[in-house]
Amino acid sequence: MMTKRVLIIAPHPDDETLGVGGAIAKYTNDGCEVFVLVVSGHLPPLYKLEDYHRTVAESHKAFAILGVSNFKFLEMPPTMIANTPIHEFNNKIYSIVSQFKPNIVFCPYPDRHIDHRLVFDAVMVATRPTGVGKNIEILAAYETLSETHWNAPHIEPNFTPNWVIDISDFIDIKLKALKCYDSQISEFPSPRALESVKALAMFRGSQAGFAYGEGMHIIRKIN
């Protein structure tokens, strides 16, 4: 495949690996330049500062496994993104889009977590097909265990993938990266257990005719 500039926007550390870890490994293996933007994190007042430093350290280990060397943490307290004026928050996202000039953008699906919804809204503004946004060939939303599957069926939007990325050759790398998040993964049958993540990848893959996949919802695609 032709090399692309791929931007992954994650509300929190581990969302990028849960939702797009296999695709990230696939893109970096193909020589694409991948940038991961982590918006929020385990910061005060809800968490202790050492909790944040721990998850950042875990992220660095996961990124190394996935082949990512280009990333940024915006260091916004979780569930408090709305405290920042909308135009300021939108500009934080847009500044990364403007600087990196991605061809492909992955963002969180607007699910049960307020941070996911606010990040999604900001991405929709920052990636409008004007200016630098004209370079974006694919804009897609990814699912995040467990938040995406806790939406109220038919009352809230339901995640229905219309694009499944084949990660059959990269499922082991995804799981290895996810293991770096010791503070975030849980024992089965937690939805964020390694077994659950692997099972979802197997299900998504089976929907498209291969072993393991990551489901995406394409928002906009141009040829």
Side-chain angles (χ1 to χ4, degrees):
M1 65 179 286
M2 294 180 61
T3 59
K4 301 290 185 179
R5 298 168 68 84
V6 184
L7 174 60
I8 315 294
I9 302 175
H12 315 101
D14 85 347
D15 287 338
E16 82 294 325
T17 304
L18 283 165
V20 209
I24 292 174
K26 185 172 187 173
Y27 281 122
T28 57
N29 182 73
D30 287 339
C32 296
E33 184 178 356
V34 176
F35 187 111
V36 176
L37 174 64
V38 182
V39 175
S40 182
H42 294 72
L43 287 159
L46 295 183
Y47 299 91
K48 298 178 181 179
L49 191 57
E50 52 262 37
D51 295 329
Y52 177 70
H53 291 317
R54 178 180 179 182
T55 54
V56 169
E58 291 170 345
S59 294
H60 288 177
K61 294 178 182 178
F63 292 167
I65 291 171
L66 297 175
V68 174
S69 58
N70 199 2
F71 50 83
K72 182 178 178 64
F73 295 83
L74 292 184
E75 300 185 342
M76 304 184 73
T79 73
M80 296 184 183
I81 293 175
N83 293 351
T84 301
I86 292 176
H87 71 281
E88 292 184 13
F89 179 53
N90 289 350
N91 190 60
K92 288 177 183 290
I93 304 299
Y94 176 75
S95 65
I96 298 299
V97 174
S98 180
Q99 294 168 27
F100 185 60
K101 297 179 176 61
N103 305 114
I104 301 171
V105 177
F106 292 100
C107 68
Y109 189 78
D111 55 35
R112 191 84 298 275
H113 200 304
I114 184 62
D115 290 349
H116 294 199
R117 299 200 299 272
L118 292 173
V119 171
F120 171 84
D121 288 344
V123 171
M124 290 301 295
V125 173
T127 59
R128 289 177 294 193
T130 61
V132 69
K134 291 182 178 180
N135 296 323
I136 298 173
E137 301 168 11
I138 300 176
L139 171 62
Y142 57 85
E143 58 186 330
T144 309
L145 283 168
S146 54
E147 303 291 351
T148 303
H149 306 120
W150 284 343
N151 278 19
H154 306 296
I155 298 174
E156 298 177 293
N158 296 133
F159 181 83
T160 304
N162 53 16
W163 178 27
V164 181
I165 299 176
D166 186 353
I167 64 165
S168 301
D169 293 335
F170 302 95
I171 182 63
D172 291 339
I173 296 176
K174 173 172 179 160
L175 296 176
K176 183 178 179 181
L178 191 58
K179 285 180 182 179
C180 295
Y181 288 103
D182 291 331
S183 66
Q184 304 303 306
I185 60 174
S186 307
E187 295 297 322
F188 186 78
S190 164
R192 295 203 173 190
L194 294 174
E195 295 91 337
S196 301
V197 174
K198 187 174 183 178
L200 177 61
M202 185 181 297
F203 174 64
R204 292 303 184 206
S206 71
Q207 288 182 302
F210 36 76
Y212 295 97
E214 287 175 337
M216 308 293 164
H217 188 96
I218 294 177
I219 300 165
R220 186 171 66 250
K221 182 179 185 295
I222 62 173
N223 294 323

